[in-house]
Amino acid sequence: MPSPPHTAPDTVPRTDGTHITILLVEDHDMVAEAIRLALDRTDDLEVVGRSLSVKDALADAARLRPAVVVLDRRLPDGDGIAAIPTLKAAAPGTRVLVLTGEATPAVAADVAEAGGSGLILKVGNLGELQDGVRLVAAGEVAYSKGLLSGALDLLTGRTADLGATLTPRERETLGLLGDGLGTAEISQRLGVALNTARNHVQRVLGKLGARSQLEAVAVARREGLLR
């Protein structure tokens, strides 16, 4: 679907508190169209451009100077979160709200550390996204329910009671990770589908604040969750 016409850049991001301009960075046409319709149907939100990649987003943000960039996490040419510092440098004053299909507190912490203003899940309702854009444009943060407190714990270095957050199945998954098993082997050992095993592993990583299976095992051993 074609993007809206490009306009000349402003000297500052375009928002007066009642009109918030948005650059949408999303490579899937159907998803982008649904998001655009949800945002444009409100009086105070306007999608002024759409980018399909990190490279395009950098150029479009510099040209359009939107108040908010709604940024997909997974793009054809890279990770949206990793691109946040460069994106903000390309359009000073623009705020970044990451939109993703799934996330953990560790991912939310990554967004905050990269300079992003929030993380909204695609599985949430579109009203949450609208409100998130407004909060971010106003200089606040916006995180889907359950992500912010965990992210703050990670950012402040608190790791107490990590084990208490794990379900019995997640503890079992962690034990298998500690034995050196990969996701496919965990799937077979637990007798569940591969995608289910991946979900168990990702939840374990998120609750332990780990970015990899190796780091999850290291954290678990440090905290006495594995011997």
Side-chain angles (χ1 to χ4, degrees):
M1 178 173 178
S3 298
H6 288 149
T7 59
D10 295 325
T11 56
V12 294
R14 294 163 42 197
T15 177
D16 57 8
T18 59
H19 184 75
I20 300 168
T21 55
I22 303 160
L23 172 64
L24 175 60
V25 186
E26 169 62 64
D27 61 315
H28 294 289
D29 289 340
M30 291 183 64
V31 175
E33 179 64 13
I35 294 171
R36 184 200 297 275
L37 289 173
L39 296 175
D40 278 346
R41 72 186 178 196
T42 63
D43 293 335
D44 59 331
L45 306 178
E46 179 190 4
V47 177
V48 295
R50 176 192 167 198
S51 308
L52 303 179
S53 65
V54 170
K55 180 181 178 181
D56 289 345
L58 296 175
D60 291 341
R63 177 173 57 253
L64 298 172
R65 298 301 297 273
V68 178
V69 173
V70 174
L71 177 67
D72 189 16
R73 181 187 175 193
R74 303 187 187 281
L75 293 163
D77 58 345
D79 184 344
I81 296 175
I84 291 175
T86 309
L87 188 59
K88 288 174 67 69
T94 292
R95 298 183 177 276
V96 179
L97 177 62
V98 176
L99 191 63
T100 186
E102 58 181 5
T104 64
V107 174
D110 288 343
V111 170
E113 289 181 317
S117 296
L119 178 66
I120 300 294
L121 296 174
K122 290 181 179 178
V123 295
N125 61 67
L126 293 173
E128 181 184 15
L129 176 58
Q130 294 168 353
D131 291 341
V133 169
R134 294 185 182 104
L135 285 170
V136 167
E140 300 182 38
V141 296
Y143 287 86
S144 286
K145 184 178 179 180
L147 293 177
L148 183 56
S149 61
L152 289 174
D153 286 348
L154 294 172
L155 292 169
T156 56
R158 295 187 306 186
T159 58
D161 298 323
L162 283 177
T165 69
L166 297 173
T167 67
R169 179 47 63 97
E170 289 164 359
R171 283 180 172 274
E172 188 175 3
T173 300
L174 177 59
L176 295 175
L177 288 173
D179 291 338
L181 274 63
T183 305
E185 295 170 306
I186 291 174
S187 169
Q188 295 176 353
R189 187 70 65 87
L190 296 180
V192 298
L194 183 59
N195 284 340
T196 301
R198 287 197 185 103
N199 289 337
H200 290 326
V201 171
Q202 288 304 312
R203 282 195 290 270
V204 169
L205 266 61
K207 290 182 178 182
L208 297 184
R211 293 171 177 80
S212 68
Q213 295 181 13
L214 181 61
E215 185 180 1
V217 172
V219 170
R221 286 179 177 164
R222 184 187 71 213
E223 298 299 321
L225 301 177
L226 288 176
R227 301 297 179 186

XYZ file of all heavy atoms in Angstrom, residues 68 70 85 134 148 191 210 215:
58
model
N 5.923 11.154 17.103
C 6.114 9.783 17.601
C 6.391 8.849 16.429
O 5.736 8.940 15.389
C 4.867 9.284 18.364
C 5.059 7.832 18.824
C 4.549 10.180 19.553
N 6.055 4.972 15.678
C 5.544 3.673 16.121
C 6.338 2.631 15.353
O 6.197 2.489 14.136
C 4.032 3.533 15.852
C 3.560 2.119 16.181
C 3.258 4.550 16.689
N 18.487 4.285 19.048
C 19.410 5.420 19.220
C 19.693 6.162 17.918
O 19.710 7.401 17.896
C 20.682 4.747 19.771
C 20.198 3.501 20.427
C 19.070 3.021 19.564
N -0.407 8.857 22.713
C -0.666 10.127 23.399
C 0.256 10.309 24.606
O 0.788 11.400 24.841
C -2.127 10.191 23.838
C -3.122 10.230 22.677
C -4.549 10.407 23.180
N -5.507 10.390 22.079
C -6.299 9.365 21.791
N -6.251 8.261 22.532
N -7.134 9.427 20.766
N 6.100 -3.200 32.596
C 6.839 -2.089 33.183
C 7.499 -2.457 34.503
O 8.675 -2.159 34.717
C 5.919 -0.883 33.378
C 6.594 0.379 33.922
C 7.747 0.794 33.032
C 5.584 1.503 34.045
N 7.169 -33.343 25.867
C 6.035 -33.878 25.136
C 5.074 -32.800 24.669
O 3.855 -32.988 24.655
N 17.073 -12.533 31.209
C 18.171 -13.014 30.372
C 17.869 -12.799 28.902
O 16.715 -12.846 28.470
C 18.414 -14.504 30.630
N 22.660 -17.164 29.184
C 22.581 -16.186 30.258
C 21.549 -16.612 31.291
O 21.737 -16.405 32.498
C 22.233 -14.808 29.702
C 22.257 -13.713 30.763
C 21.907 -12.341 30.216
O 21.616 -12.234 29.006
O 21.908 -11.379 31.006
